[in-house]
Amino acid sequence: MFMLLMVDIRDHGFEYQEESYDFTLGENRYILNKPLKRWNMPIELKEISGIAYKNERTLMCIQDETGIVFSFDLIDESINQRIVFGNPGDYEDITLVDRSIYVLKSNGQLYNFALTGSGKADAIKFSTPLSEKNDTEGLAFDALNNRLLIACKNSPLIDDNNYKGRAVYAFDISDNHLQEIPLMIIQKKNYKEALLERGLDEKTHSPFQPSGIAIHPSTGMIAIICSVGKIMLILDRDGNIENLIPLESKLFVQPEGICFSPNGELFISSEGKNGKGYILKF
């Protein structure tokens, strides 16, 4: 069990011992308070809301105000392509499926278009039963089941506002259909029990509201980050909580995007102070 250093740092919650930030997935080790590299974003990505891994040099990025996908060069540390796909709106996450891009809007709508060298894309829009009350913020491709995973920040159910917990839905890309029963629900009770078991402060990490989701490439474990709640959840394929890792508020100002490379490198994007977005690598 992780032990707390009971040091109140005001609005930043508690300081934890180093092992609280240290975890492994398969052969990959991550220390979430010690990033390996940081990229500061240009002004166009000051409100970066989602990222997707394209290759060892490129991350595809979305921000939550414009219908534009940005290709960010990790070597040159600059935007090398912009793809306009839609009108201004609240776009929250992005994922890649081979040479195809999917973008998620907070009202549950999905946009799909081909990844090309063009500066403009003809996107297909898919509406789902999810809506603004669910506040869909996380999107990931589940290659094993040929589906997208959609994480909801608020109401977990389509027709019920009173259920306590957070939900992940599955969108089948073979028939472009959302399964209306959640794939998994992280119940509030189970979340609190997991915090207690790991010696994490309940007040600091509540409520938890998912802002990004990704699947680890070798283990298939599901990682969910929460900007509200400042925590990362590691779930198994059935939605059981396997681990909880705190996110330092001073390091993760507003974490909203997450993705893995094929070899397990972890990238997390965040909006920053003074409007400066950034990406961290672990």
Side-chain angles (χ1 to χ4, degrees), residues 174-241:
S174 63
D175 61 5
N176 300 314
H177 177 74
L178 182 86
Q179 298 176 13
E180 296 190 21
I181 297 175
L183 180 67
M184 58 186 68
I185 293 182
I186 304 107
Q187 296 185 21
K188 185 177 180 180
K189 176 184 176 183
N190 294 341
Y191 174 70
K192 288 185 175 182
E193 289 176 351
L195 285 174
L196 179 63
E197 180 182 340
R198 288 159 179 80
L200 301 178
D201 180 62
E202 180 182 333
K203 182 178 180 181
T204 298
H205 303 295
S206 295
F208 72 102
Q209 295 184 316
S211 53
I213 185 171
I215 300 175
H216 186 262
S218 65
T219 66
M221 302 292 275
I222 298 167
I224 293 178
I225 54 170
C226 303
S227 182
V228 178
K230 289 294 188 291
I231 201 159
M232 175 187 285
L233 291 81
I234 303 297
L235 311 177
D236 66 16
R237 303 291 292 192
D238 296 318
N240 300 306
I241 299 174

Side-chain angles (χ1 to χ4, degrees), residues 29-267:
R29 181 188 179 192
Y30 309 98
I31 306 176
L32 285 194
N33 64 339
K34 294 181 179 179
L36 301 175
K37 187 171 177 60
R38 173 179 174 136
W39 292 269
N40 290 321
M41 295 294 100
I43 191 66
E44 290 174 273
L45 287 169
K46 67 178 182 179
E47 296 191 22
I48 185 169
S49 57
I51 55 176
Y53 186 89
K54 179 183 177 184
N55 55 45
E56 62 184 11
R57 183 165 184 159
T58 309
L59 293 183
M60 307 303 290
C61 310
I62 196 79
Q63 65 116 305
D64 63 8
E65 291 185 346
T66 62
I68 303 174
V69 168
F70 300 85
S71 174
F72 184 77
D73 191 311
L74 298 171
I75 305 299
D76 293 342
E77 302 191 7
S78 63
I79 296 169
N80 59 30
Q81 185 186 11
R82 296 164 181 81
I83 306 172
V84 179
F85 69 90
N87 296 321
D90 190 12
Y91 301 100
E92 293 294 347
D93 212 349
I94 180 174
T95 195
L96 296 183
V97 180
D98 297 324
R99 299 289 297 177
S100 185
I101 296 176
Y102 286 86
V103 173
L104 176 68
K105 211 171 183 180
S106 62
N107 63 2
Q109 292 177 344
L110 284 165
Y111 293 77
N112 175 230
F113 50 95
L115 175 58
T116 67
S118 173
K120 186 173 177 59
D122 294 323
I124 300 172
K125 182 174 73 173
F126 301 108
S127 294
T128 73
L130 298 170
S131 66
E132 291 179 353
K133 74 171 187 177
N134 304 109
D135 199 357
T136 51
E137 289 220 358
L139 183 69
F141 176 50
D142 178 7
L144 184 64
N145 297 289
N146 197 39
R147 63 191 180 188
L148 304 177
L149 302 187
I150 299 175
C152 297
K153 180 178 179 181
N154 286 316
S155 178
L157 301 182
I158 293 172
D159 299 318
D160 186 352
N161 293 324
N162 298 316
Y163 195 93
K164 303 299 182 183
R166 299 289 181 253
V168 175
Y169 284 82
F171 182 88
D172 191 332
I173 61 175
S174 63
D175 61 5
N176 300 314
H177 177 74
L178 182 86
Q179 298 176 13
E180 296 190 21
I181 297 175
L183 180 67
M184 58 186 68
I185 293 182
I186 304 107
Q187 296 185 21
K188 185 177 180 180
K189 176 184 176 183
N190 294 341
Y191 174 70
K192 288 185 175 182
E193 289 176 351
L195 285 174
L196 179 63
E197 180 182 340
R198 288 159 179 80
L200 301 178
D201 180 62
E202 180 182 333
K203 182 178 180 181
T204 298
H205 303 295
S206 295
F208 72 102
Q209 295 184 316
S211 53
I213 185 171
I215 300 175
H216 186 262
S218 65
T219 66
M221 302 292 275
I222 298 167
I224 293 178
I225 54 170
C226 303
S227 182
V228 178
K230 289 294 188 291
I231 201 159
M232 175 187 285
L233 291 81
I234 303 297
L235 311 177
D236 66 16
R237 303 291 292 192
D238 296 318
N240 300 306
I241 299 174
E242 293 292 323
N243 204 351
L244 293 170
I245 305 95
L247 303 177
E248 283 189 342
S249 295
K250 291 177 288 186
L251 183 60
F252 298 95
V253 176
Q254 192 173 328
E256 295 196 353
I258 179 173
C259 67
F260 291 99
S261 72
N263 64 6
E265 294 172 313
L266 171 61
F267 298 85

